[in-house]
Amino acid sequence: MSNVAADAARMPTAMITGASRGLGAAIARALAPTHTLFLAGRPSPQLDAVADEFGATTWPVDFGDLDAIETAVEPIVELDVLIHNAGVAYPGRVAESSVDEWRATLQVNVLGVVALTLPLLPALRAAGGQVVFVNSGSGINASPGLAAYSASKFALRGFADSLRNDEPSLRVTSVHPGRIATEMQEDLVAYEGREYTASDYLSPETVAHVIADAVNAPRDAHIHEVIVRPR
């Protein structure tokens, strides 16, 4: 960890979840010039490849094992930015959904977020840091065919608002993108029985740019919410 500590002294630090591909990897690319990156997630060759590309450090965080998260992040004593990007979606209307799908969705999209945020609060407070929640348009208006996902994103928005109220030394930002051209989107379009065309949706790089702008906003600016939609 000595190299991590040395790097952190030169640049602000940012932890990103779900950075092995898609939007998470794009966020890492957008912040790499300005931040020392900690990529949190289940160990995988894909996550290692992103870390190698940007000279980042990986942190073994598994939302399937919430009890182990506190120990995993214990070495972090100061953190400037925490970006909650990891998420899952199981397409299905209410009557089509199962309790297991609801449990798995809430485990990653809500409980995992809480389990990672709580032990990092002292490090975030020490830096006067920022927490960014990658939410969704489904966290404002429930999306047809995404019952469990929409409910989880409403809960995530509630947690973000509570964190903002309870931790006045932190900046807390919820980002609500429209549909993004990712693997998750391909699965949703397939469920809807439509043809997937990436150009119909926001690119991961566009959303990552918006997030980086919120992170790099002047210190006296507290951006509570960002809503971005495809043109």
Side-chain angles (χ1 to χ4, degrees):
M1 294 297 172
S2 59
N3 290 339
V4 174
D7 288 343
R10 291 194 293 271
M11 287 200 297
T13 52
M15 174 173 280
I16 306 166
T17 67
S20 62
R21 61 185 185 278
L23 178 57
I27 295 170
R29 184 173 295 107
L31 289 181
T34 56
H35 289 73
T36 295
L37 301 181
F38 301 158
L39 307 184
R42 188 177 297 172
S44 71
Q46 293 85 358
L47 188 63
D48 289 341
V50 176
D52 290 344
E53 181 179 354
F54 303 116
T57 302
T58 59
W59 290 83
V61 172
D62 183 358
F63 286 167
D65 185 4
L66 301 183
D67 293 336
I69 291 178
E70 183 173 359
T71 300
V73 301
E74 187 176 4
I76 301 174
V77 296
E78 191 165 329
L79 182 64
D80 295 280
V81 184
L82 173 60
I83 299 178
H84 289 293
N85 169 71
V88 297
Y90 298 94
R93 296 177 182 273
V94 172
E96 300 168 338
S97 65
S98 69
V99 171
D100 286 342
E101 289 173 343
W102 281 80
R103 183 181 294 112
T105 301
L106 294 171
Q107 175 91 1
V108 174
N109 294 2
V110 183
L111 296 180
V113 170
V114 175
L116 181 58
T117 302
L118 294 183
L120 286 174
L121 279 177
L124 288 161
R125 292 180 189 129
Q130 181 174 9
V131 184
V132 177
F133 296 86
V134 180
N135 201 294
S136 168
S138 296
I140 298 174
N141 297 296
S143 297
L146 283 171
Y149 180 77
S150 295
S152 73
K153 291 301 187 178
F154 269 79
L156 186 65
R157 186 182 184 188
F159 178 57
D161 290 347
S162 296
L163 183 65
R164 188 182 302 111
N165 290 337
D166 293 344
E167 296 290 336
S169 69
L170 305 182
R171 298 196 298 180
V172 178
T173 304
S174 285
V175 181
H176 296 267
R179 292 190 170 199
I180 308 171
T182 62
E183 292 179 16
M184 183 185 293
Q185 195 62 237
E186 291 187 53
D187 292 341
L188 177 57
V189 171
Y191 164 79
E192 294 169 337
R194 298 186 294 108
E195 183 177 346
Y196 176 79
T197 303
S199 59
D200 290 341
Y201 308 106
L202 289 162
S203 73
E205 290 73 22
T206 293
V207 179
H209 182 83
V210 170
I211 291 170
D213 283 347
V215 168
N216 292 317
R219 295 293 300 172
D220 61 340
H222 187 170
I223 301 171
H224 290 199
E225 187 173 84
V226 179
I227 299 174
V228 54
R229 298 287 183 268
R231 291 188 64 179

